[in-house]
Amino acid sequence: MSGPKVVRVITREEIIAICQGHIAALVAAFEQWQRVGKRNEIVDAEDIRLAQSRISAMGDLLAMDKFAELQKQAPLEIAFLKADMETRIERAAEKTARDRNEGKRRLRAANSLAMALSEKGFAVPPALSNPGSCSQDELQAAVTQGFALLAPSSLPSEITDRQRELAAKLGEGEAHPTLADWLATQHPSAVEDPRLADLERRYEELRALDPERASKLSDRVEKVSSDRSSRRSLLIDSLALDIAAERRTATDEADALVKLRAMEAQLKNIQTPASASQLAKINNLLNGSSTVAELSNMIATATATLQTIIQERAEQDRRSAILAGLSELGYEVIEGMQTAWVENGRVVLKSNKRPGYGVEIGGNPNSGIQLRTVGFAASADPRDAIADISAETEFCGDFSVLQAKLAASGGELVVVKALGVGTTAVKRISAVPENEISDTNARGTAPTVRRS
C-alpha cells in the first residue's frame, strides 16, 4: 500500500494512435515496394495480394486490441518489404547484366564467324553481317549455315547423289553445333572483365531503383564497356564510385519519401489547423522536385507538428481518463474540473464514500500526475491520525481498481514514485462547506491550502 504518489498515464487512445502510426508507415513502405516492383516488372499480382493481406492482418490486430503484437509485427513487415525489394532488384539487375553480356558475346561470335566465312571466300549470311538487327532464331540459323559452309568435306567431288544420301543418313543423330556451342568456345577472359560485369550489374540496380539518376550515367557505362585502352581500369573505378554514390542518394531519398508519406497519412487522420497547414506544405514539396535535404527537413517539421498535436490530445485524454475513473469510484467530478486542472495545476475531488476526505490531483499529465489523499478541516482542528491512515488506505485500494480499469481498456497507469501510507501527514485543506467544494473547483479557483 502507498500514500502520495506520482504516476504516468497511458490511455487507450494514445496506444491506438501509436498503432495507427505503425500501420501508416507500413502502408507507405508497401506503396514504395509496389511502385518499384511494377516499374521493373519484378512483382506480380499474387505478390501484391500477399503483401496486402499482411497489411490487412495488422488492421485485424488493431481491431482485436492486440496492440503489443501489432507494434512488434509492423516494423518487421516494413523491414521485410525493404529487404525483399532489394533482393528482387539484385536478381533482376544480375539477369539484365548477364543478358547484356550474352548479347555482346553473341555479336562478337557472329562477327568472328562472318570473318572466317569471308576469308574462305564464302558468302556471308545477312544475319551474320548485321547480327544486331536480327532475332535470336535468325542468328541461330545463320550460324548453323555458316558452320555447314566451314565444315571440311571428306567426300570426293565426284560422288553420286546416292552416295550423298547415304552420307546424310550416316550423319543422322550427330550433334550439330549451335550458337550456344559457339559462344561456349569463346574464352570470356579474352574479351570480358569481371570488374566491368560487376559495374554493369550495379548500374542496373541503380536503374531499377531510380531510372532518372541512372540515365545520367548511361553514356559513361557504354563508353567504359567499349573502351580497350590502358585507361579502362581507372574509368571503371571512377564510375563505380559515382554509381555507389548515386545509389546511396537514391536509397536515402526513397527512405525519406516513405517516412514523409507515413507522416502525411497520420496527419490526414487529425483535423486541426496545424495539421492542415503541414499537409499543404508536404503536398507542395511532393508535387515538385525535392532533394534529400529538403525531404529530411520536412520530415523533421512534420514530426514536430504531429508530436505536438498528439501530446496535446494525450494530455486531454489522460486528464479525462483519471477524472472519469475516479468518478466511477465514488469521487465527485463535475463539469469544468478539467479546465480548472489546466488553469490551476490541480483539482480536489471530494470522496462521496468517506466524508471529510478527498483526493488532490495535480501536475502535467504528459510528465507525471501527483495523487494524494487530502482532508477537509480547519487548521485549528485536531488531527485524527487513525482516520487519516484509514482514508489513505482506502484510496490505495481505489487506486488499484483504477489501474485495473485502465488496463482492461487497453491503457496503463504506472507508478513512478510512491510513499508509504502514514509516511507523511495527510494534507489539510481549509474546511469548505460541502456544497461549495465542487463549485470552487468548477470556477477554477482552488481552495486555500494549509499544511497542519
Side-chain angles (χ1 to χ4, degrees), residues 199 202-203 206-207 210 213-218 220-221 224 234-251:
L199 179 78
R202 294 184 182 280
Y203 169 77
L206 172 62
R207 190 178 65 82
D210 192 328
R213 291 184 183 279
S215 66
K216 297 185 296 184
L217 302 174
S218 60
R220 290 176 61 188
V221 172
V224 170
L234 291 175
L235 292 174
I236 289 176
D237 289 341
S238 175
L239 184 52
L241 290 173
D242 290 342
I243 289 175
E246 291 290 349
R247 173 68 186 270
R248 285 193 299 271
T249 302
T251 300

Side-chain angles (χ1 to χ4, degrees), residues 273-345:
S275 64
S277 174
Q278 187 63 56
L279 284 170
K281 295 176 183 177
I282 292 174
N283 185 61
N284 289 336
L285 182 65
L286 293 178
N287 285 336
S289 58
S290 53
T291 65
V292 174
E294 289 172 334
L295 290 171
S296 298
N297 290 336
M298 185 61 71
I299 289 170
T301 302
T303 300
T305 300
L306 184 61
Q307 287 302 314
T308 298
I309 295 173
I310 289 175
Q311 287 298 314
E312 289 175 351
R313 290 196 168 190
E315 181 178 344
Q316 182 176 352
D317 290 340
R318 288 166 182 166
R319 294 183 197 275
S320 296
I322 290 293
L323 291 174
L326 290 174
S327 176
E328 291 179 14
L329 293 173
Y331 294 86
E332 189 173 305
V333 177
I334 64 171
E335 185 179 354
M337 274 194 169
Q338 187 162 163
T339 302
W341 186 352
V342 173
E343 294 177 350
N344 300 316

Side-chain angles (χ1 to χ4, degrees), residues 96-366:
T96 301
R98 185 170 61 248
D99 291 346
R100 176 188 290 181
N101 287 329
E102 189 74 9
K104 290 178 181 178
R105 292 181 63 196
R106 186 179 295 112
L107 294 177
R108 287 194 296 267
N111 290 332
S112 297
L113 184 55
M115 290 177 61
L117 290 170
S118 181
E119 290 172 358
K120 295 283 186 180
F122 294 112
V124 179
L128 295 181
S129 299
N130 189 13
S133 64
C134 63
S135 68
Q136 171 71 14
D137 291 340
E138 291 172 333
L139 185 57
Q140 174 64 66
V143 169
T144 301
Q145 181 183 354
F147 280 137
L149 292 172
L150 290 176
S153 174
S154 59
L155 298 175
S157 58
E158 63 274 9
I159 61 174
T160 65
D161 291 340
R162 176 59 179 167
Q163 288 173 320
R164 292 182 186 280
E165 182 181 346
L166 290 173
K169 289 184 177 180
L170 290 173
E172 288 180 359
E174 292 184 359
H176 295 283
T178 65
L179 179 58
D181 297 328
W182 173 260
L183 292 176
T185 65
Q186 306 301 298
H187 198 285
S189 62
V191 291
E192 295 174 11
D193 185 340
R195 295 169 66 245
L196 178 60
D198 181 68
L199 179 78
E200 291 179 338
R201 178 178 59 80
R202 294 184 182 280
Y203 169 77
E204 290 299 331
E205 291 177 5
L206 172 62
R207 190 178 65 82
L209 182 61
D210 192 328
E212 185 177 346
R213 291 184 183 279
S215 66
K216 297 185 296 184
L217 302 174
S218 60
D219 289 343
R220 290 176 61 188
V221 172
E222 291 300 325
K223 289 179 181 178
V224 170
S225 298
S226 59
D227 192 286
R228 294 293 181 269
S229 70
S230 59
R231 298 175 57 249
R232 187 184 196 188
S233 180
L234 291 175
L235 292 174
I236 289 176
D237 289 341
S238 175
L239 184 52
L241 290 173
D242 290 342
I243 289 175
E246 291 290 349
R247 173 68 186 270
R248 285 193 299 271
T249 302
T251 300
D252 290 343
E253 183 177 279
D255 290 344
L257 280 170
V258 169
K259 290 180 182 177
L260 190 56
R261 290 292 187 188
M263 289 288 172
E264 182 184 37
Q266 293 180 77
L267 287 166
K268 284 180 178 178
N269 291 330
I270 305 172
Q271 301 297 322
T272 68
S275 64
S277 174
Q278 187 63 56
L279 284 170
K281 295 176 183 177
I282 292 174
N283 185 61
N284 289 336
L285 182 65
L286 293 178
N287 285 336
S289 58
S290 53
T291 65
V292 174
E294 289 172 334
L295 290 171
S296 298
N297 290 336
M298 185 61 71
I299 289 170
T301 302
T303 300
T305 300
L306 184 61
Q307 287 302 314
T308 298
I309 295 173
I310 289 175
Q311 287 298 314
E312 289 175 351
R313 290 196 168 190
E315 181 178 344
Q316 182 176 352
D317 290 340
R318 288 166 182 166
R319 294 183 197 275
S320 296
I322 290 293
L323 291 174
L326 290 174
S327 176
E328 291 179 14
L329 293 173
Y331 294 86
E332 189 173 305
V333 177
I334 64 171
E335 185 179 354
M337 274 194 169
Q338 187 162 163
T339 302
W341 186 352
V342 173
E343 294 177 350
N344 300 316
R346 69 181 185 91
V347 287
V348 177
L349 280 61
K350 182 179 67 173
S351 172
N352 292 323
K353 299 180 295 182
R354 183 177 289 270
Y357 288 92
V359 60
E360 181 186 71
I361 313 171
N364 185 335
N366 288 340

Side-chain angles (χ1 to χ4, degrees), residues 18-91:
I18 292 171
C19 290
Q20 288 173 336
H22 281 293
I23 292 176
L26 175 55
V27 170
F30 163 74
E31 289 174 348
Q32 171 71 2
W33 175 88
Q34 180 178 229
R35 186 162 44 249
V36 175
K38 283 186 174 181
R39 185 176 65 229
N40 293 283
E41 299 182 345
I42 52 179
V43 298
D44 56 28
E46 180 62 12
D47 295 325
I48 294 172
R49 187 191 68 79
L50 290 173
Q52 289 173 329
S53 69
R54 293 194 295 271
I55 294 175
S56 296
M58 297 299 109
D60 293 339
L61 291 177
L62 180 59
M64 293 184 290
D65 289 356
K66 295 184 177 181
F67 306 131
E69 188 173 347
L70 188 155
Q71 292 178 68
K72 177 182 178 182
Q73 291 298 324
L76 294 177
E77 185 63 31
I78 292 172
F80 168 77
L81 287 173
K82 185 175 181 179
D84 178 70
M85 184 48 61
E86 288 178 355
T87 300
R88 290 173 186 266
I89 285 176
E90 288 172 2
R91 284 201 300 256

